[in-house]
Every structure is written in C-alpha cells, then in structure tokens.
Amino acid sequence: MAVTGWLESLRAAEKTALLQDGRRKVHYLFPDGKEMAEEYDEKTSELLVRKWRVKSALGALSQWQLEVGEPAPPGAGSLGPELIKESNANPIFMRKDTKTSFQWRIRNLPYPKDVYSVCVAQKERCIVIRTTNKKYYKKFSIPDLDRYQLPLDDSLLSFAHANCTLIISYQKPKEIMVAESELQKELKKVKTAHGSDGDCKTQ
C-alpha cells in the first residue's frame, strides 16, 4: 500500500520536462510546495541526479539538497587552489545508482577491504560503515525505502573496494523495480521541451 501511495504522489505532482545535453530533466512540484528535480540518461533512463528543496514557513525556498549524483567540489570557486587541493584528499561521499541497485561511492579511502565493516542498523533504518582502524565512520539512510515504507534487508547489502574507493551496493527490492518502471511510463506522458527550442512550453 505504501509503495502505491508514493507512486500516486509522483503521479499527482505537477511535472515539467526538458531534454538537454543527452539528459531528460524532470521537475516535480508537490501540493505542499516541496520540489524534486531528477535527471535521467536519455538513452538508458538511468537516474543520474535527484535533488530536493522545500519552502520555509515564510515561503522562502531553501538550497537544493542532493540525494543522488555527484556533489560539487567543496568550496569550489571560493577557496584558493591550495585549500581545494587539501579538501580533495578528504573522503567524498556520493550516491550513483544502477538499474538494479542503490549504490554509494566513498572516494579517498585508501585502506584495504578487510578494514571495513558495512551493515544494516535495523532500529535506525540506516546503513553503517565502520573501520577497524577507527579512521572512518558513517551512517546513512536509503530515502527510497523510507518513502515506500519497505524494510532494510541485510542480505541485499554488499560492498567492494578498489582504487581508494569504497563501493556499497544495496540490491533494489522488486517493489522498487516495479515502481520505477511504472514511473518511467508516467514520465513518457509528460510533454518534453528541448533545450535548443526556446519557444517550447511544458505542462
């Protein structure tokens, strides 16, 4: 029932779409004023970016909060080259999904794979990363499972390590796969403007 509820919220949202630079960009406006923006690969329909913003009690829009996609370099454009270089040595956390898995990448983690422990914390509904050398700790939720009110399953979780990058994968439950397929059908109904056609309108 919860899966259907979130899907219906997406269907009911006011949507506009734009095709630009090989990406299908979709903007959702929900009745409560919350906004979501997604970008999909035009050819594969793979989700590349998802971000959110909300209105304050006074009606001011917040900054976009990135959920999926690569974040901008910390402080880019406001720091000197030396400071940017130093910040790039810190672990960089990002989410980049595949068709069948939610996936997170943490760059700049040079320790061997046997140092890491990755597990599900059921009570907190999140994934926890620890290292035996106590050099890195992080916990994060999977907003998709929260929106669809699905449980976290330890057996769907796996991780790998290569090139100083820890890659954590969580296999998408079948309910999510079905819902994402239904959403793609819904998005095909949305009129799409093209980035090069300034006079195109969407509804």
Side-chain angles (χ1 to χ4, degrees):
M1 186 68 182
V3 173
T4 305
W6 174 242
L7 194 55
E8 286 306 316
S9 294
L10 293 174
R11 285 178 173 146
E14 183 180 330
K15 294 181 285 291
T16 56
L18 173 69
L19 196 59
Q20 188 176 49
D21 302 326
R23 296 186 175 202
R24 182 180 175 86
K25 302 179 179 182
V26 185
H27 179 270
Y28 303 76
L29 178 61
F30 296 92
D32 61 0
K34 186 181 292 185
E35 296 177 63
M36 181 174 77
E38 293 183 325
E39 297 183 17
Y40 293 90
D41 184 289
E42 179 189 355
K43 294 180 179 178
T44 66
S45 295
E46 186 174 313
L47 178 66
L48 303 174
V49 173
R50 178 186 292 137
K51 53 189 179 180
W52 294 84
R53 69 177 177 182
V54 298
K55 280 187 177 180
S56 70
L58 298 176
L61 285 170
S62 67
Q63 294 292 317
W64 285 102
Q65 298 296 314
L66 191 68
E67 181 180 311
V68 179
E70 187 161 5
S78 61
L79 297 177
E82 299 82 4
L83 291 175
I84 291 176
K85 184 177 181 180
E86 181 181 348
S87 68
N88 285 344
N90 295 327
I92 299 172
F93 179 87
M94 63 172 286
R95 176 174 156 185
K96 187 181 187 305
D97 293 352
T98 68
K99 278 284 191 182
T100 58
S101 296
F102 304 121
Q103 195 173 91
W104 300 263
R105 294 169 182 261
I106 309 166
R107 298 175 184 158
N108 299 332
L109 287 180
Y111 322 114
K113 184 181 177 182
D114 59 9
V115 167
Y116 304 98
S117 164
V118 182
C119 63
V120 167
Q122 292 289 357
K123 288 185 178 180
E124 298 179 82
R125 285 188 58 82
C126 66
I127 295 172
V128 180
I129 306 168
R130 295 183 176 89
T131 58
T132 56
N133 60 9
K134 303 189 185 303
K135 296 288 188 181
Y136 187 80
Y137 174 86
K138 188 172 184 67
K139 62 181 181 180
F140 57 94
S141 64
I142 307 178
D144 307 71
L145 297 186
D146 292 338
R147 286 191 286 265
Y148 287 109
Q149 296 181 28
L150 294 171
L152 274 74
D153 185 344
D154 220 356
S155 67
L156 301 179
L157 184 64
S158 62
F159 72 96
H161 186 269
N163 302 319
C164 294
T165 301
L166 185 66
I167 303 170
I168 300 163
S169 300
Y170 187 97
Q171 186 179 330
K172 293 178 181 177
K174 61 182 180 181
E175 294 92 339
I176 296 281
M177 298 286 287
V178 170
E180 289 183 348
S181 177
E182 288 298 312
L183 177 59
Q184 287 303 314
K185 292 177 185 177
E186 187 70 23
L187 293 181
K188 287 179 181 177
K189 302 175 186 177
V190 181
K191 288 186 178 180
T192 304
H194 292 261
S196 57
D197 299 332
D199 58 345
C200 285
K201 291 182 172 61
T202 59
Q203 64 177 27

